[in-house]
Amino acid sequence: MHLGDAALTVNDGRREGGVVRPILALSAPAVVVLGIQMLVGLAELFFISRLGPEAVAGVTLATPWVLLLQGLSNGAVGSGIASAVARAMGGGRRDDAQAVVRVALGLAAALGAACALGHWQGGEALFRSLGGQGEVLACALDYAGPIFLASTLIWLVNLLAAALRGSGNAVAPAAIVLAGALVLPLSPALIFGWGPFPRMGVMGAGLGVVAYYLLAALALLLYLGRGRGSLGIGPGGKRWRPMVVDVLCVTGPATAASLLANLALAMVTSAVARFGSQAMAGYGLASRFDLVLNALLFALGTGVLAVVGASVGAGQEARARRAAWAGTAIGGAGAEIMGLTLALAPEACLAPFDPEPAVLEAGANYLRIAGPLYGLAGVSVTLNWAAQGAGRAMLPMLALMARFAVAAAGEWSGWGLDAVFALAALSGAAACAVMVWGFTRPAGLPRFNR
C-alpha cells in the first residue's frame, strides 16, 4: 500500500474514515510480522531459560543495550528517515524521498561502525558497572558481543525498512522481515549444539540474531537495488544535503529520547540486580512481555507516523491531528487489554518458561504491578510516533526525561523490589502525562515548519 492510494485520501463525510483505514492498512503487515517475531523471541528465551537463571540474568543485563541499538536504528534515526520520506512523498517531492535513501545508507555504515567499536572498547566495563559479575557477566558478553560487532547490519535493515514504510510501502519490508525471521530457529541449534552445529550456549542466541539481520539486509538491498518499489538505490535523489537536515530535525531529539528510554530501563535493571540473579531472571522473563507490547505499538506507530507525516506534508494539519488521536485510541485500548490479561494471570503467562519458584514469584509480581498501566504506555508510545511524523521530536524527549526521572528513583532510593517495579511502571505513566499535555495544548499537534 502506498501513501498516494491511502494515506492522503480524505473522506469528508466521516471524520475518522479518512485516517483509521490507512493507519490500519499501513500497520497490519508490521503487526503480523512483529507479532511472529516476538513469539520467536519468546521461544528463544524459553531455550535460554534451560541454561539456568544465570543465563537468563545475563541476557537480561544485556537487553537494555541491545534494545538501545534497535531503538536508535528503528525508533530514533529510523523515525527520522521515515518521517522525512513521508513528508517528501506527501508533498510530491519524490526526488527528495529518493535522496533520503542515500542518507540512510551513509548513516547505517557510520553508526554501525561506531556501535561495534563502542562495545569492543567498553562493553565489559559497562556491564560490570550495572552489577554484572561471574557467570552472569560472561553470559551478557556472550549474548551482546556478536550482535554489536555486526551492528552495521541492524542499522542497514532498520533504516532501509523505515524509508520504505515512510513511502507508504508497508508490505515489502514486512515480507522481507518475515522471511528473515525464518532464520531465528537457528538459535536453539547453536545454543544446544544440534546437528552439525557446536554447542555455543548463550552466544548461539546472539549469532542467531546476526544471521537474521544478514538475510534481511541482503533482501532489502536486492529489492531497492532493482527499484521495484516507490524508492530505490541508484541514480537520482541528488538533493541529499538538505535532506540530511530534514532527517536530523527528527533524529536528534528522537535519539536523545531513545537514550533516555534505555537508560531508564538500565536503571531499573541495575536496581533489580541488587536483589540477586533469581530476581533479575524473574524480571527478565516478565519484562519480555513489555517488549511484545512495544513491538506491537511500533507496528501501529509506523502507520500513524506515515499518515501524520504525509498529511502534514500535504498541508492537512487537521487530518494529521485526527490521525494522531485515532491511532492513540487504538494503541491505548489494545495495550490495556494485554496488560490486564497479564496482571490477572501472571503465573500462567510465565509457566511455559518453567522458572524456579523464586524466579516465578519475582516475575509474577512485576506483571501484577506493571500490567494495569500498559494502557498508559500505549497512549504515550503512539503519540510519540505521531509527533515524529509531524517532524517534531522535542515533545517525546521531554516525555522520556520524565520517565527517566521516575525510573531512576528506583536505583537511588534503596527501596524494596516491589517498589522498584512500581516506579518502573509509574515512569511510563509520567511519560504519558507529558505526551497528553503536549497534544491537548491549544496548538494541538506540534507543527513542522520548513
Side-chain angles (χ1 to χ4, degrees), residues 217-253:
L218 292 174
L220 276 168
L221 288 172
L222 181 63
Y223 180 83
L224 287 167
R226 292 181 174 180
R228 299 175 64 179
S230 55
L231 295 176
I233 300 174
K238 297 179 181 179
R239 259 178 35 94
W240 64 271
R241 286 185 178 87
M243 297 317 296
V244 169
V245 177
D246 215 7
V247 169
L248 291 179
C249 76
V250 173
T251 295

Side-chain angles (χ1 to χ4, degrees), residues 336-352:
E336 186 62 17
I337 291 172
M338 177 180 174
L340 290 176
T341 301
L342 292 171
L344 292 173
E347 290 88 355
C349 297
L350 295 172

Side-chain angles (χ1 to χ4, degrees), residues 65-366:
W65 307 104
V66 175
L67 291 180
L68 176 60
L69 172 59
Q70 294 175 339
L72 288 174
S73 57
N74 245 334
V77 182
S79 64
I81 295 292
S83 179
V85 170
R87 294 193 304 273
M89 296 292 282
R93 305 188 314 275
R94 187 179 183 279
D95 283 347
D96 284 353
Q98 186 80 4
V100 177
V101 177
R102 292 191 171 191
V103 174
L105 290 173
L107 287 173
L111 295 174
C115 289
L117 180 62
H119 179 77
W120 181 43
Q121 293 292 326
E124 182 175 352
L126 175 64
F127 292 151
R128 285 187 184 277
S129 70
L130 294 173
Q133 54 185 329
E135 188 176 351
V136 172
L137 175 62
C139 289
L141 292 171
D142 285 346
Y143 180 72
I147 295 174
F148 274 91
L149 292 179
S151 57
T152 297
L153 295 173
I154 297 176
W155 281 99
L156 187 63
V157 169
N158 290 339
L159 295 190
L160 293 181
L164 284 171
R165 287 193 299 267
S167 74
N169 185 348
V171 175
I176 290 170
V177 169
L178 180 59
L182 298 177
V183 177
L184 291 179
L186 180 65
S187 291
L190 293 172
I191 291 172
F192 299 113
W194 294 347
F197 300 104
R199 180 183 175 90
M200 304 185 72
V202 173
M203 185 179 291
L207 289 173
V209 174
V210 172
Y212 153 67
Y213 277 105
L214 175 61
L215 180 61
L218 292 174
L220 276 168
L221 288 172
L222 181 63
Y223 180 83
L224 287 167
R226 292 181 174 180
R228 299 175 64 179
S230 55
L231 295 176
I233 300 174
K238 297 179 181 179
R239 259 178 35 94
W240 64 271
R241 286 185 178 87
M243 297 317 296
V244 169
V245 177
D246 215 7
V247 169
L248 291 179
C249 76
V250 173
T251 295
T255 297
S258 185
L259 287 169
L260 286 170
N262 285 276
L263 283 174
L265 179 58
M267 284 283 191
V268 174
T269 303
S270 178
V272 174
R274 298 199 309 262
F275 299 93
S277 60
Q278 290 183 320
M280 196 170 179
Y283 168 70
L285 292 176
S287 63
R288 281 291 169 136
F289 292 102
D290 296 355
L291 304 187
V292 174
L293 173 65
N294 287 335
L296 295 176
L297 291 173
F298 170 83
L300 174 65
T302 59
V304 173
L305 182 150
V307 176
V308 170
S311 299
V312 170
Q316 301 171 358
E317 293 190 5
R319 183 170 184 272
R321 285 192 291 272
R322 294 202 307 273
W325 286 116
T328 297
I330 296 169
E336 186 62 17
I337 291 172
M338 177 180 174
L340 290 176
T341 301
L342 292 171
L344 292 173
E347 290 88 355
C349 297
L350 295 172
F353 299 103
D354 193 25
E356 298 177 3
V359 174
L360 177 61
E361 180 182 2
N365 286 343
Y366 175 77

